[in-house]
């Protein structure tokens, strides 16, 4: 009995020692990995959301952080692309006329879309899908639709007809209407990507997704990031350079997706009032804390044009802009004048 107790006691002590040893070892490994992991820099490029996306990140586990950031973009694309038949947005479109339950993030971005629709007096309208499809942006088979087709498609473009049931998290769009988050989803993805990098202890980073760019902190050398705005007509040139710390810069341009027919450029930013590509400006850059806001505003201001665009930008707090008109002249918002270097 005594011996048995002694053995059992010994065993219990042994188990306690082993377990606590393992725990101590584990804790030590964990904390030493934080302290010892050298800060590295990782740069990766992947093609997602129809765009070559480059992420450069600096941190103690930068490779893992960048992989997780790309996984987040992939996830956002799977939710918001109207071209992927299983996405939530495709489901709303497939079931036009019926209530469709959606996740909180779809609800939230839809509400943001509606907000910018109102703010821009309808220039930004995420129900533009039926018209976008006619022009073939997305499918890749571009053509100029005739007036009748456009009139028909335009009757389904009306954000005020989208019904949202906040209590039950449901959405209903009219039959014939096609939701298209192309003007805002990439910015939203870039915002989440930035968040994922920060959660993964990244101290300095740049995410560049076509015209949507976000930076984390400052550059490795401690200076602000310097981001170039692409020249709208010379693809290898830069129009201006802006210094940024922890901000986002989003550009909408008529050079991003377009086709030329009989010498006329037809691009992918559509004026809901006409069904035709918006005319007057050729590039709009927005600097904001959130790329989703910048994305919606860059598309909205592109459609509004120089005069109304200027007026909207100047009355918004924390938003700066560069608008390039058809003559190639760049207008710079008042709060950006000291931060920009025009080339
Ligand atoms: P962006 O490059 O951000 O200006 O977005 C252009 C994309 O937004 C297009 O490819 C369409 O998917 C969508 N879009 C085009 N015109 C509009 C509009 N007036 N309002 C909202 N989204 C639009
Ligand atoms: Mg946009």
């Amino acid at each position: 009995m005594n011996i048995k107790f002694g053995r059992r006691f010994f065993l219990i002590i042994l188990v306690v020692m082993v377990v606590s040893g393992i725990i101590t070892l584990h804790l030590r490994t964990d904390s030493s990995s934080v302290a010892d992991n050298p800060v590295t820099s990782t740069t990766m490029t992947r093609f997602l959301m129809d765009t070559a996306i480059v992420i450069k990140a600096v941190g103690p586990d930068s490779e893992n952080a960048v992989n997780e950031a790309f996984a987040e973009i992939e996830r956002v694309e799977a939710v918001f692309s109207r071209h992927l038949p299983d996405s939530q947005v495709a489901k709303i479109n497939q079931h036009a006329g019926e209530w469709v339950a959606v996740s909180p993030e779809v609800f939230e971005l839809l509400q943001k879309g509606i907000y910018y629709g109102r703010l821009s007096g309808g220039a930004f309208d995420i129900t533009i899908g039926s018209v976008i499809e006619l022009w073939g942006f997305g499918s890749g088979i571009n053509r100029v639709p005739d007036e009748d087709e456009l009139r028909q498609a335009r009757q389904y473009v009306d954000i005020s007809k989208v019904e949202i049931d906040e209590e039950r998290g449901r959405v209903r769009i009219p039959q014939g209407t096609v939701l298209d988050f192309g003007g805002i989803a990439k910015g939203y993805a870039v915002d989440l990507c930035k968040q994922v990098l920060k959660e993964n202890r990244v101290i300095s980073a740049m995410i560049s997704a076509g015209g949507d760019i976000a930076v984390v902190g400052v550059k490795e050398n401690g200076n602000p990031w310097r981001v170039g705005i692409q020249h709208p007509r010379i693809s290898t040139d830069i129009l201006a350079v802006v210094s940024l710390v922890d901000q986002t810069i989003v550009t909408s341009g008529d050079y991003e997706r377009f086709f030329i027919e009989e010498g006329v450029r037809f691009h992918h930013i559509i004026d809901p009032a006409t069904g035709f590509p918006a005319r007057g400006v050729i590039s709009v850059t927005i600097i904001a804390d959130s790329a989703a806001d910048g994305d919606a505003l860059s598309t909205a201001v592109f459609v509004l044009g120089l005069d109304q665009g200027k007026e909207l930008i100047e009355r918004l707090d924390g938003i700066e802009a560069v608008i390039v008109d058809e003559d190639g002249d760049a207008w710079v918002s008042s709060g950006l004048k000291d931060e920009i270097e025009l080339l």
Side-chain angles (χ1 to χ4, degrees), residues 206 213 226-231 238-242 249 251 343:
M206 183 190 277
I213 294 169
R226 283 166 57 75
V227 179
I229 299 174
Q230 191 184 314
H231 191 291
I238 282 169
L239 181 87
V241 178
V242 184
I249 177 163
T251 299
L343 303 176

Side-chain angles (χ1 to χ4, degrees), residues 124 182-184 212 250-252 292 294-300:
F124 184 77
I184 189 170
D212 298 44
V250 178
T251 299
S252 285
D295 200 353
L297 278 170
S298 67
T299 310

Side-chain angles (χ1 to χ4, degrees), residues 123-125 128 132 180 182-183 252 256 268-270 272 295 299 303:
F124 184 77
D125 194 326
I128 198 74
I132 294 287
D180 179 343
S252 285
E256 292 177 310
H268 68 143
I269 303 167
I270 303 294
D295 200 353
T299 310
V303 174

Side-chain angles (χ1 to χ4, degrees), residues 1-22:
M1 186 74 180
N2 268 350
I3 297 168
K4 255 188 168 177
F5 174 76
R7 247 189 218 157
R8 198 187 290 160
F9 185 73
F10 175 73
L11 268 173
I12 291 170
I13 294 292
L14 190 73
V15 167
V16 169
M17 278 171 69
V18 168
V19 169
S20 64
I22 289 170

Side-chain angles (χ1 to χ4, degrees), residues 36-93:
D36 295 347
N37 255 13
V39 167
T40 57
S41 171
T42 299
T43 305
M44 280 189 222
T45 305
R46 283 188 61 190
F47 194 81
L48 290 166
M49 301 187 101
D50 231 3
T51 313
I53 301 178
V54 186
I55 303 178
K56 178 192 161 112
V58 179
D61 199 3
S62 60
E63 189 175 337
N64 182 55
V66 171
N67 280 324
E68 290 207 10
F70 273 122
E72 184 65 1
I73 299 180
E74 211 166 356
R75 191 193 65 76
V76 172
E77 183 175 24
V79 171
F80 287 97
S81 168
R82 71 184 167 86
H83 302 292
L84 299 174
D86 288 332
S87 79
Q88 289 195 49
V89 169
K91 289 263 148 58
I92 303 172
N93 289 338

Side-chain angles (χ1 to χ4, degrees), residues 193-205:
C193 194
K194 189 172 166 181
Q195 202 175 304
V196 166
L197 291 175
K198 284 184 166 178
E199 282 163 11
N200 280 277
R201 298 174 298 161
V202 159
I203 45 177
S204 166

